[in-house]
Structure formats: C-alpha cells, structure tokens
Amino acid sequence: MNDMSSRRGALVAMGVTVLIWSYSWIVMKQVLRHAGPFDFAALRYVGGAVLLFAGMAVTRQSLRPPPLGPTILIGLLQTAAFQGLGQLALIAGGAGHVALLAYAMPFWAVLIAWVGLGEAPTRRQWTGVALAAIGLVCVIEPWNGLGNATSTLLALAGGLCWAGATVASKRLFQRHPVQPLSLTAWQMAFGAVALSIAALCIPQRPIEWVPAFIAGLAYSVVAASSIAWALWALVVKRLPTAVAAISTLAVPVTSVGLAWLLLGETVSPMGVVGIAFIVAGLVAVTGLGRSPGK
C-alpha cells in the first residue's frame, strides 16, 4: 500500500471513528442514569476486549501480546484513566461540555509528541492547532465560567491521559511490528482489569438492567469500544501524531450538535463561531482539499 492510499484509508477510518464516538457521549450520558460510572466502564471494556480477542481468533491473528510494559501503560492511561475520569465528569457535567474539555487532548498530544517523539509540527499543522485552539476557547467560553469545577478538572485530566497514551502508542508502532488490533485488544484488557478493580472498591448505585441501559451498553461495547478503538489505533499508526490528535476535535463538535438535538443542551452564538474555527483547523491539519504535491 502506497503512502497516499494509506493516508486516505486512515482518514476514512478517522471519519468513521468520529461518527461512532460523537454519538457515544450522548449514549454514555443516558446510560449513567442507570449505573455507576465505574461499573459501566468496567462492563464496557471487559466486553470490548472479549470481542476484540474473538475477532483476532476468528481472523487467525496471533494472540501473543505486544511488548508488555508499553501496552500496560497505554491501557492504564487510555482505557482506565481516560474513560474512568470521563465517566465521573459526566455525572456532574453536560455531555457536550465534558466532551469538549476531554478533547483538549490534541493540544497536549502535539506538545508531548514534539518532546517525546521529535515530531515537530509543520507550519500548516501549527496553523491548524491555532485555529482549533481559538475555536475550542470560543465554544467553552471560559469567561462565563467553566461550570462544575470538579467535572471540568476530571475531563481535562482525562484528556491529558489520553494524549500520553496516544504518544506511547505511536512510539510502540515505530519501534515494534505491532498490529493495531492486537494492541487495542491487549491494552483494553489491561485497562479493563484496572476499571474492574475500581468498580469493586468504589461504592456505586446498583445497576438497573432496563432496556435503555442494555441498549446503551451494547452500543458502547460493540461500536464505541471494539470498532472505534481498533480504528483509532490504525489512525495513530498511519498518520502523524498531530494530524491524528487534532482530527479528534471533530468528535466534540459533532457531540455538541447531537447534545443540542437530542438532549436539549443549548449552543450559544459564540459556540457556533468556535465550531467554525475548529472545522477550519481540521481542514488545515488534515490537508483536505489540497493536491498531493502541496
């Protein structure tokens, strides 16, 4: 596969991931009415890991784990910390607001990748980062307050953990011949163990096994965990860290729209301006609309 085909395939994978994850924030907000955050997260990722290992077995891929140290670190940061902190943030904050704060991840990732991987952003990528940063500030509107302080800090901390995991994944792909599906399955398994321990140790409300919870859990296990995280690993492997990370900002933009349509969460005029800046930043970073030689 040539570089251009690989890039296009990764961008398609990113687009599918964005659609799945955007709706996932709405689903999680609804599901948490019927279960504690760590119970839900543990069930979600235990189920996701089982499905991924089943997929590997069916396609006859090796079940041998990637290098354990980096894989465990990625699992603890990406699955356990990011998801656990995100679930807690949703308890006190709106779905659209929490998603926006958690997706400050790209700005952390660009800086960490620059220091840790030597991936200095290009001029076009810096332009995209600047546009997206302006947009994110406009959407969050910090001059009006950041809402629940605990929810805000939890969401930001979760984004920082995901950024660290993204850079660690990129480094692992660069140093070892690791398949995205294998890394996704094993890191998710390690993260699920950590979430399960937290679920057992932290008092939570009993799970209500109502149809809405079962449907939301099914979506989260199959689509948002198994499919989307496997696609995300493919994106990280094939695209520069800055491009992969900044592209995820399409998720909160879409989530804000869905939260407005489905949950009645309002979008201010400044928020609309911010979304326009974020979209401009995404176009700049991904190079959409540019010919291959430019």
Side-chain angles (χ1 to χ4, degrees):
M1 183 182 294
N2 60 44
D3 289 342
M4 184 54 62
S5 296
S6 178
R7 179 184 175 86
R8 287 174 178 168
L11 289 175
V12 170
M14 188 70 240
V16 174
T17 303
V18 165
L19 293 176
I20 293 173
W21 278 346
S22 297
Y23 187 61
S24 177
W25 285 96
I26 307 301
V27 171
M28 286 191 291
K29 183 66 176 178
Q30 301 300 309
V31 165
L32 289 176
R33 296 176 179 177
H34 307 289
F38 286 99
D39 283 339
F40 169 66
L43 287 171
R44 170 183 175 177
Y45 286 104
V46 167
V50 169
L51 278 183
L52 288 170
F53 281 119
M56 291 171 64
V58 168
T59 56
R60 300 183 181 278
Q61 294 190 38
S62 173
L63 295 177
R64 182 178 179 181
L68 285 177
T71 303
I72 292 173
L73 175 64
I74 293 166
L76 292 177
L77 290 174
Q78 181 168 283
T79 295
F82 174 59
Q83 299 301 321
L85 292 170
Q87 302 299 321
L88 287 174
L90 280 172
I91 296 295
H97 186 73
V98 170
L100 284 165
L101 292 170
Y103 278 82
M105 176 278 283
F107 306 107
W108 300 115
V110 168
L111 296 175
I112 296 172
W114 190 3
V115 175
L117 301 177
E119 291 188 5
T122 64
R123 180 179 299 178
R124 178 162 55 84
Q125 289 170 354
W126 274 126
T127 300
V129 167
L131 289 170
I134 293 170
L136 194 62
V137 170
C138 290
V139 173
I140 295 174
E141 298 185 67
W143 47 86
N144 290 330
L146 289 173
N148 183 283
T150 299
S151 176
T152 296
L153 291 174
L154 288 170
L156 289 172
L160 179 58
C161 289
W162 185 15
T166 298
V167 175
S169 298
K170 187 70 173 182
R171 180 186 292 272
L172 185 59
F173 284 131
Q174 290 175 343
R175 295 184 174 183
H176 302 277
V178 176
Q179 293 301 313
L181 184 59
S182 176
L183 175 60
T184 304
W186 280 101
Q187 69 83 17
M188 190 174 293
F190 290 125
V193 169
L195 287 170
S196 298
I197 293 172
L200 291 172
C201 295
I202 299 174
Q204 298 171 87
R205 59 179 297 178
I207 298 175
E208 299 173 1
W209 292 95
V210 297
F213 174 77
I214 295 172
L217 180 61
Y219 178 88
S220 299
V221 168
V222 177
S225 299
S226 302
I227 296 174
W229 280 110
L231 291 174
W232 169 248
L234 178 67
V235 170
V236 172
K237 181 177 182 178
R238 292 186 178 179
L239 294 179
T241 305
V243 176
I246 296 296
S247 296
T248 63
L249 282 173
V251 176
V253 167
T254 309
S255 292
V256 167
L258 291 173
W260 171 61
L261 288 172
L262 303 177
L263 303 180
E265 296 181 8
T266 59
V267 183
S268 67
M270 185 60 71
V272 175
V273 173
I275 288 173
F277 269 101
I278 291 174
V279 171
L282 292 173
V283 171
V285 168
T286 59
L288 295 175
R290 294 168 62 92
S291 61
K294 294 182 179 180

